[in-house]
Amino acid sequence: WPLVYGGLVSMGEAFIGMGAIGAGIYAFFNRLLIPFGLHHALNSVFWFDVAGISDLSNFWGNTGVYGQTGMYMTGFFPFMMFGLPAACLAMYKTAKPGKKKMVYGLLASAAFCSFFTGVTEPIEFSFMFLAPGLYLVHALLAGITAAITVALPVRLGFSFSGGAIDAVLSSFLPLAENPWLIIPIAVVVGIIYYVVFRFVITKFNLKTPGREAVSDDGADTAAISAKAPAAETKKEAASGDVPVATIIEGLGGKDNILSVDNCFTRLRVSLKDVSLLKDDVINTTGCSGIVKKGNDIQIIYGMQVGAVKKAVEENLDL
């Protein structure tokens, strides 16, 4: 860890003094590191006192330099408030007709969260494993957005993240520069995100939420679930749109499941025999990815994971 952390700090320090370009490069690597959780090491260089910048505390404490302080936070607002929500719209529009209702809850709630609070992980984790190439496109767009926003110039800061709440609050601080430009910039960024995401998804047939593989006969998740035994099908119907029978089948059957739990975005299941796990079946249930840790399986469902867990528990009588 000291070597990794030191390497990221050194990389961040290399961007200092590069102005808007450096801010854009930082935003690009910030997004790339999110899947590994290492973006916090890079953030410490710019937001806190690791390299003497303290962008965050200086902005809110009015102890920085007007026109300079805030440059490593400003660029996050446009793509967090409008860019990624527009990406959600693109993913919803390109989802298969039979799955749009299922992905709507995931994407709509995640877009709302990103716009108001700047919490983007529910969106990013919904496609970064399904379509890593698209995630790279997102990182590039984020970096370009940050560089242009800082160059205009605009200066805003956040105490939590780049959502609308922090945008409004920081607009009234002394070090805020041209805060009104954030909205028109964000609108343009939203349009670009929507067009680019929709084009890339359809052009390369990416498996974003709602576009996962179907069975050989072309049936979608609902049809696969309908093949379950009658008793399970009846209980599954009572569980709404959650393909419970398919999930249980993919986990190796009821007798193979020891426990079911969930965190913010993941269904966490402990299995007796992990070799009975059927990845291809699980991938038809609307998940964004599968993480295996011994006999413990994590299936990424996003914000709808609570409903998934409840439905599975009802079928298992846990």
Side-chain angles (χ1 to χ4, degrees), residues 11-30 42 46 71-72 76 143 146-148 150:
M11 183 175 70
E13 290 175 336
F15 306 151
I16 299 173
M18 296 173 64
I21 298 298
I25 296 174
Y26 157 58
F28 169 71
F29 280 105
N30 170 277
L42 193 59
F46 302 97
M71 66 185 298
Y72 297 111
F76 288 81
I148 293 175
V150 170

Side-chain angles (χ1 to χ4, degrees), residues 250 274 276-285 287 290 292:
V274 73
L276 298 179
L277 179 72
K278 302 174 183 176
D279 293 45
D280 56 338
V281 175
I282 293 295
N283 284 330
T284 67
T285 63
C287 71
I290 303 172
K292 303 174 184 178

Side-chain angles (χ1 to χ4, degrees), residues 173-213:
L173 296 182
L175 293 180
E177 182 179 12
N178 298 322
W180 61 273
L181 278 175
I182 281 293
I183 297 302
I185 293 171
V187 170
V188 173
V189 169
I191 294 172
I192 293 173
Y193 259 81
Y194 176 80
V195 172
V196 171
F197 263 63
R198 184 157 188 168
F199 172 78
V200 173
I201 291 170
T202 55
K203 175 70 174 178
F204 298 100
N205 191 28
L206 299 181
K207 304 304 179 185
T208 49
R211 293 174 58 85
E212 300 87 349

